[in-house]
Amino acid sequence: MSNIGSFDERIKNFNWDIAEKELDFVPGNIINIGWYCSDRICRMGKAEKPALIWEGSTGIEKRYTYNDLRLNSNTIGHFLRELGIRPEDRVCLFMDKIPELYIGFLGILKMGGIAQPLFSAFGDESLFVRLDNAQTTAIITQKKHAPKVRKIMDKMPYLKHMIIVDADPGKPLGDREVAFDMEKAEKIDQFDIHPTYAESASVLHYTSGTTGQPKGVKHVHYSLISQYLTSKWVLDLQDSDIYWCTADPGWVTGTSYGIIGAFSNGVTQCVLDAGFSADNWYRFIEKHKITMWYSAPTAIRSLMKAGEDVIKKYDLSTLRHLASVGEPLNSEAVIWSEKVFGKPFLDTYWQTETGSIMITNFPGMKIKPGSMGKPFPGITATVIDAETFEPFGETGKIGLIAIKPGWPSMMRTYWNNESTYKNKFKNGWYLPGDRSSIDNEGYFWFVGRDDDVINTGGHLVSPFEVESALLEHPAVAESAVVAKPDFVNMEVVKAFVTLKPGFTASKDLDLDIMNFVRKKLSPLAMPQEIEFIDSLPKTRSGKIMRRILHAKEWGEAIGDTSTLENDD
Ligand code: WT7
């Protein structure tokens, strides 16, 4: 029996206080996600239950019970407080998927800090703009990532501490650097958790937009209500589950469902901190007897590519429920998973700003492969006309996805950028920036984004950020960045580049530019292809027309080019 039971019944009788009651939360009282994810589960008699089973790339394994989670998060919270970090200070987590990342997240929340997770593969420029925007007080990292922080330390007077979790004992550390060894630290059993309330800030996640700086999405402790209930009803987390969320907590799936949803539901979750390979993933499922698996379309397509022979080598019979998020889940992938795993991946749609699943397929619901499903109970979603911002009177039309504001895990603002936040609302609707249609049974069919942001393998990349990075390369005169189709990643980053006088296109230059962007931004933002051209298509006013380059890559009609300068 699935947790949601009858979807229709749930819709009819829905109220968010269902989750409040299950969590014994009384509006107006204290709510702290760190406590809900550790102390509360211990109090429910599950102190000795495994909470986190972690496996590193060398095969080394570490296990933490809910009591270990409680003690270690207390210990980190205490350490941060003793350092002088205050409630609401931003504390950045900049680590691979190691236990300190998961437990540190809870520790920050317990002392009242705002957790700011950043993807550990970020280069110094990506890191700097996000720390600078948040005016981050401390960063917790590993020694392998410390050089990237040191490189920008001088530009960040507000950053008071760099905390290194695996520093070599006895090796001197730099100014503002401090070592903290979670395993060796004296455990704090009694910790005064900071009294946070529903609207106290909890997490600051950065997401890319088309123009300007990345946006800091501010979430609050009350988001737990949504994350707990969607984990229970959509991911169907049950006491006996062994759960695997493949996402990195540098991104929202890895925190909303890789930390908060999992631990507040008291399940055992496994983490694999290693690169992707089909063999290794299936081995991991077999070894840990994974029952619930939350992953992403790019990973599923990579598994499809690896073929079915490798599946036969492993016993995957423990899998009972699969779900996916981050990009369009094509019908082929759904049908394939049904064939090879005996159950389909259920598509779930949401974004950093929404904090939790918005439109989704539920256990027990009729699956239409290729559709994102229906709104979660309590979520009013539709598609609206892009000009009038009014819902369509009929089904089947493509418009902007629109959601009625007011669910618990909705972002509260963009950090230091209230005007961009306000712009996300039109005519009383929140607009996630995606296009879709709805069929006559109420199923949503994703069409595409409503902006130039590139979704590569489920990661949003801003063409603007990549173009800016390219312009800093000594050989680059101008650049335009667009998405290019790709079987596995759906989209990859492609750059069109014109060179400064004295430079000529070559394979070496090509690689040099790619590497330059990878180091500055991240491997995700690195163009997979660079095309050197003599001039970029521009409007008469000098604006680069990415639309033309995009259409060329996708084999689409170019459309109206009447304002094109080069056509004159
Ligand atoms: C954007 C959000 C929250 C998940 C991690 C990504 C796209 C997300 C789907 C889906 C088609 C999807 C949208 C959305 N997206 N899920 N099931 N089908 N597209 O979070 O980085 O904030 O990206 O990813 O374009 O707006 P994010």
Side-chain angles (χ1 to χ4, degrees):
M1 182 64 183
S2 66
N3 287 333
I4 189 165
S6 156
F7 173 63
D8 293 334
E9 284 304 309
R10 294 293 197 191
I11 294 266
K12 260 192 258 158
N13 305 318
F14 189 80
N15 189 318
W16 288 109
D17 71 11
I18 296 173
E20 292 179 352
K21 287 199 180 105
E22 286 190 18
L23 292 166
D24 297 319
F25 168 68
V26 179
N29 281 3
I30 290 171
I31 177 169
N32 186 292
I33 290 175
W35 182 83
Y36 270 101
C37 288
S38 56
D39 300 58
R40 179 171 181 267
I41 307 297
C42 294
R43 284 199 193 178
M44 292 168 78
K46 297 204 242 179
E48 295 314 316
K49 178 174 176 170
L52 176 65
I53 300 175
W54 175 87
E55 201 184 294
S57 55
T58 56
I60 162 174
E61 192 180 294
K62 291 183 184 172
R63 286 173 175 259
Y64 300 85
T65 62
Y66 272 97
N67 195 41
D68 295 331
L69 221 57
R70 182 184 72 82
L71 287 173
N72 283 299
S73 55
N74 281 352
T75 307
I76 294 178
H78 172 79
F79 175 79
L80 295 173
R81 193 177 275 167
E82 292 289 298
L83 265 187
I85 294 166
R86 290 172 316 229
E88 290 187 43
D89 281 351
R90 277 72 64 204
V91 181
C92 174
L93 293 153
F94 189 54
M95 286 176 271
D96 297 351
K97 290 192 275 178
I98 57 173
E100 286 84 345
L101 172 56
Y102 294 77
I103 300 170
F105 181 87
L106 301 180
I108 295 168
L109 298 182
K110 280 186 168 181
M111 53 75 56
I114 303 177
Q116 183 192 6
L118 290 177
F119 184 44
S120 65
F122 273 153
D124 54 288
E125 181 68 23
S126 290
L127 187 60
F128 173 69
V129 293
R130 289 160 179 79
L131 296 175
D132 200 50
N133 181 263
Q135 297 281 297
T136 307
T137 305
I139 182 167
I140 310 179
T141 191
Q142 293 163 273
K143 62 184 174 200
K144 70 191 236 200
H145 298 303
K148 292 191 275 191
V149 186
R150 288 190 187 115
K151 207 169 154 193
I152 52 176
M153 205 79 168
D154 284 349
K155 293 196 282 179
M156 303 188 293
Y158 42 84
L159 190 81
K160 298 204 185 95
H161 310 280
M162 168 154 76
I163 299 153
I164 303 176
V165 297
D166 57 351
D168 295 314
K171 203 167 162 195
L173 291 170
D175 189 27
R176 291 187 264 168
E177 297 180 18
V178 53
F180 173 76
D181 185 328
M182 183 180 84
E183 308 293 349
K184 296 211 180 99
E186 191 193 324
K187 299 289 174 276
I188 304 293
D189 186 49
Q190 299 300 323
F191 180 66
D192 286 331
I193 295 179
H194 185 74
T196 49
Y197 293 88
E199 293 305 308
S200 306
S202 55
V203 183
L204 189 60
H205 264 299
Y206 276 79
T207 186
S208 296
T210 23
T211 52
Q213 301 286 323
K215 296 170 286 186
V217 176
K218 180 180 136 180
H219 285 292
V220 295
H221 280 265
Y222 191 61
S223 70
L224 169 72
I225 300 296
S226 296
Q227 288 147 348
Y228 165 80
L229 200 66
T230 48
S231 298
K232 187 164 176 183
W233 286 3
V234 180
L235 305 184
D236 200 38
L237 295 183
Q238 303 185 7
D239 193 38
S240 56
D241 271 322
I242 311 284
Y243 170 58
W244 183 27
C245 171
T246 59
D248 186 310
W251 311 103
V252 73
T253 310
T255 55
S256 288
Y257 296 102
I259 301 180
I260 306 172
F263 294 141
S264 64
N265 273 279
V267 298
T268 297
Q269 79 156 327
C270 298
V271 169
L272 176 61
D273 182 22
F276 174 84
S277 94
D279 254 299
N280 204 27
W281 275 34
Y282 294 138
R283 177 200 58 77
F284 191 72
I285 293 170
E286 179 185 88
K287 178 174 172 203
H288 297 287
K289 302 191 167 48
I290 306 289
T291 58
M292 199 290 146
W293 184 18
Y294 195 24
S295 197
T298 289
I300 301 163
R301 287 188 292 267
S302 302
L303 294 172
M304 284 171 79
K305 217 172 138 188
E308 287 167 39
D309 285 347
V310 54
I311 300 179
K312 297 192 184 109
K313 288 169 33 190
Y314 300 93
D315 176 4
L316 307 178
S317 61
T318 51
L319 291 173
R320 70 168 188 90
H321 183 36
L322 320 175
S324 153
V325 67
E327 11 150 21
L329 181 66
N330 40 326
S331 54
E332 294 83 355
V334 178
I335 293 162
W336 178 81
S337 74
E338 181 131 44
K339 182 170 127 216
V340 300
F341 304 125
K343 43 209 58 90
F345 269 95
L346 302 194
D347 194 10
T348 70
Y349 165 89
W350 56 292
Q351 56 174 193
T352 308
E353 287 88 338
T354 69
S356 69
I357 295 168
M358 293 285 109
I359 298 171
T360 183
N361 292 278
F362 301 87
M365 168 170 152
K366 177 173 84 176
I367 304 297
K368 298 188 183 184
S371 160
M372 308 194 292
K374 297 183 177 191
F376 186 78
I379 301 297
T380 306
T382 188
V383 294
I384 61 173
D385 185 292
E387 258 133 50
T388 62
F389 302 120
E390 292 292 342
F392 296 123
E394 56 192 298
T395 55
K397 280 193 158 177
I398 295 173
L400 300 176
I401 297 182
I403 312 175
K404 271 268 169 290
W407 64 95
S409 66
M410 172 60 175
M411 69 163 159
R412 295 307 195 257
T413 190
Y414 288 125
W415 196 260
N416 240 331
N417 199 347
E418 186 73 10
S419 61
T420 307
Y421 169 74
K422 289 211 169 106
N423 266 335
K424 296 286 286 187
F425 299 86
K426 293 278 182 308
N427 199 16
W429 297 97
Y430 167 71
L431 306 184
D434 291 307
R435 290 176 299 130
S436 172
S437 66
I438 307 176
D439 70 17
N440 53 12
E441 290 182 292
Y443 284 69
F444 282 66
W445 296 80
F446 185 82
V447 174
R449 288 193 57 92
D450 190 46
D451 57 21
D452 291 332
V453 171
I454 301 168
N455 188 336
T456 177
H459 297 293
L460 301 189
V461 171
S462 150
F464 176 86
E465 269 192 281
V466 182
E467 286 166 7
S468 306
L470 284 165
L471 290 182
E472 287 180 43
H473 188 281
V476 175
E478 283 184 309
S479 72
V481 166
V482 296
K484 172 187 147 90
D486 180 80
F487 173 77
V488 169
N489 292 289
M490 243 11 209
E491 296 182 341
V492 292
V493 178
K494 171 161 181 181
F496 291 87
V497 160
T498 66
L499 294 174
K500 284 188 184 153
F503 290 93
T504 37
S506 70
K507 196 71 217 149
D508 281 352
L509 182 59
D510 187 75
L511 288 178
D512 190 67
I513 297 175
M514 284 187 186
N515 229 348
F516 181 80
V517 178
R518 182 179 62 80
K519 281 210 189 117
K520 233 179 185 359
L521 300 181
S522 81
L524 304 170
M526 181 185 86
Q528 299 295 309
E529 188 182 319
I530 296 178
E531 189 172 326
F532 296 105
I533 54 174
D534 293 335
S535 69
L536 297 174
K538 284 189 200 145
T539 61
R540 289 206 184 93
S541 60
K543 231 178 112 200
I544 294 169
M545 289 189 86
R546 288 199 197 101
R547 183 166 60 86
I548 299 221
L549 299 166
H550 186 274
K552 198 177 130 228
E553 291 307 311
W554 294 75
E556 291 162 359
I558 288 177
D560 179 19
T561 57
S562 56
T563 58
L564 203 63
E565 170 204 67
N566 304 6
D567 269 5
D568 286 354

